[in-house]
Amino acid sequence: MKEARFWERAGDGRVRCFLCPHHCYLRPGQRGICQVRKNVDGALYTLNYGQVSSYALDPTEKKPLYHFFPGSYLFSLGTLGCNLSCGFCQNWTISQEEAPTVEILPRRAVDLTLSARARDARVVGLAYTYNEPGIWFEYVAETAGLAKGEGLVNCLVTNGFLEEAPLRELLPLVDAMNVDVKAFSPGFYRRVCKGDRDPVLRTVEVSHRAGCHVEVTNLLIPGYNDSEDDIAQLVDWLAGISPDIPLHFSRYFPNYRFTEPPTPLTTLDKAAEMARRKLRYVYLGNIWGRGSDTACPQCGQVVLQRRGLELARTFLHDHRCPRCGYHLAIRGDVFAP
């Protein structure tokens, strides 16, 4: 355990947490909604500091981050718990239930990444992923600070449900993030995720303005968040921030408590068609063999060709299209396979 950040005493031994918008009000011995922050004798402690449930060396494209150091790899690690309760969660065995963990303290995580980079120059940094990294704040902040000092990058794969103060404290250490915007409907967030939409939108807006590389994922679930109106509102909002922010429409498959059939491919194709009218970079995920290549927004030339979750071929020259010279919104080096 480690004493947590962003909380205050509330009298009678109770505490209130201000890490995420739930603002959990906890009596002694009680855990927050995230299940990893606990009132211990009138002080708030984080239970998951250094506790790693999953780790791997992943392609950066797997996050998905398609415009951040394409072709690179990230030492990816996650812990337990989540501050949302999505009935369709793909990683529910670590986000909603207890799971075995191993201890990897911040210095060890950075050293493992440096060792991997010594073997393969395509390893550029760390990703905090698999479950919600926002509730791992203390560990992520310390590890990311050490990583920055070693010239490594830090990436978050996040639901974005974080208060603005901790977000702003993390942002100088975070180079890129993929934010999972579950839907554009506030009602969807309340009913299906047991959370609020607006803090998630704020995370995207604040992070982009702060200079962090941001990509957005939207999992389309039949009958829940896949109407043309839902998609149009999401696209309009994102285009209003920047048409260069990549948007990934991801195919849903039944998982956890959801038994609805998978998203029809026609739904994903229609969503991509709508989005490309206002956004320059639109992708399809959870579909093998289609929707993952990067095309030049000006002339349509494929400039980054992907196979599955990895970069297969690049045609870029200094981030420019070889046909028309258009400068694509790519952050960092491109690692040709």
Side-chain angles (χ1 to χ4, degrees):
M1 291 196 304
K2 185 181 182 72
E3 186 169 339
R5 298 281 313 284
F6 301 101
W7 65 278
E8 65 180 29
R9 290 183 170 85
D12 297 325
R14 296 176 181 252
V15 301
R16 189 178 294 279
C17 179
F18 294 102
L19 180 64
C20 90
H22 285 308
H23 292 181
C24 291
Y25 184 56
L26 306 174
R27 62 181 180 274
Q30 188 177 12
R31 296 188 186 197
I33 288 171
C34 64
Q35 291 300 308
V36 294
R37 300 172 85 76
K38 182 179 180 180
N39 181 339
V40 180
D41 298 328
L44 188 65
Y45 281 81
T46 175
L47 306 179
N48 60 353
Y49 181 86
Q51 300 305 305
V52 175
S53 67
S54 315
Y55 61 94
L57 194 60
D58 284 339
T60 301
E61 275 81 2
K62 185 180 177 182
K63 298 305 107 186
L65 290 167
Y66 279 14
H67 286 238
F68 184 77
F69 288 87
S72 66
Y73 285 80
L74 298 165
F75 180 60
S76 303
L77 63 170
T79 183
L80 300 172
C82 189
N83 53 5
L84 295 180
S85 302
C86 305
F88 50 85
C89 182
Q90 298 179 59
N91 289 337
W92 61 272
T93 56
I94 62 171
S95 71
Q96 306 299 325
E97 295 190 355
E98 293 285 346
T101 62
V102 297
E103 185 177 76
I104 302 179
L105 295 177
R107 185 67 253 175
R108 177 63 174 157
V110 172
D111 287 344
L112 287 169
T113 309
L114 291 170
S115 295
R117 186 173 68 174
R119 296 189 298 271
D120 188 339
R122 294 176 298 172
V123 177
V124 296
L126 298 92
Y128 311 90
T129 178
Y130 303 136
N131 73 312
E132 174 46 45
I135 61 170
W136 212 13
F137 179 89
E138 295 77 11
Y139 180 84
V140 171
E142 185 174 340
T143 308
L146 292 173
K148 273 285 189 185
E150 297 286 357
L152 299 168
V153 302
N154 295 290
C155 304
L156 299 182
V157 182
T158 176
N159 62 27
F161 195 63
L162 192 65
E163 279 292 8
E164 189 169 347
L167 172 65
R168 288 191 180 278
E169 186 169 318
L170 273 182
L171 277 172
L173 304 174
V174 176
D175 301 278
M177 65 173 71
N178 185 292
V179 182
D180 190 357
V181 179
K182 311 289 183 179
F184 208 76
S185 162
F188 179 98
Y189 267 92
R190 289 192 297 270
R191 292 189 310 272
V192 180
C193 303
K194 306 299 186 284
D196 299 315
R197 179 203 67 174
D198 289 353
V200 178
L201 304 189
R202 180 186 64 205
T203 291
V204 174
E205 294 163 0
V206 169
S207 301
H208 175 76
R209 288 198 301 267
C212 181
H213 175 80
V214 177
E215 304 193 21
V216 168
T217 293
N218 179 221
L219 182 76
L220 292 177
I221 306 172
Y224 282 85
N225 65 349
D226 64 338
S227 72
E228 290 192 13
D229 186 55
D230 286 330
I231 294 165
Q233 289 186 70
L234 173 66
V235 169
D236 286 347
W237 162 74
L238 197 57
I241 302 170
S242 171
D244 280 333
I245 296 177
L247 174 60
H248 303 257
F249 287 117
S250 192
R251 192 183 191 194
Y252 149 88
F253 288 93
N255 214 325
Y256 194 30
R257 295 173 178 160
F258 268 42
T259 58
E260 283 74 8
T263 317
L265 297 182
T266 52
T267 299
L268 290 148
D269 289 338
K270 178 63 176 177
E273 178 187 343
M274 292 175 60
R276 287 180 181 129
R277 296 170 191 161
K278 296 186 177 182
L279 299 174
R280 296 189 179 105
Y281 308 104
V282 180
Y283 300 100
L284 300 181
N286 283 352
I287 303 174
W288 183 263
R290 58 185 291 190
S292 63
D293 292 342
T294 299
C296 172
Q298 183 161 278
C299 72
Q301 169 77 25
V302 171
V303 294
L304 293 173
Q305 194 173 68
R306 296 181 177 89
R307 184 179 300 112
L309 297 174
E310 297 192 66
L311 184 66
R313 195 173 179 188
T314 176
F315 301 94
L316 285 173
H317 299 301
D318 295 326
H319 295 182
R320 294 188 178 277
C321 173
R323 176 188 289 172
C324 70
Y326 184 89
H327 191 276
L328 279 81
I330 302 287
R331 183 78 63 91
D333 297 331
V334 179
F335 291 84

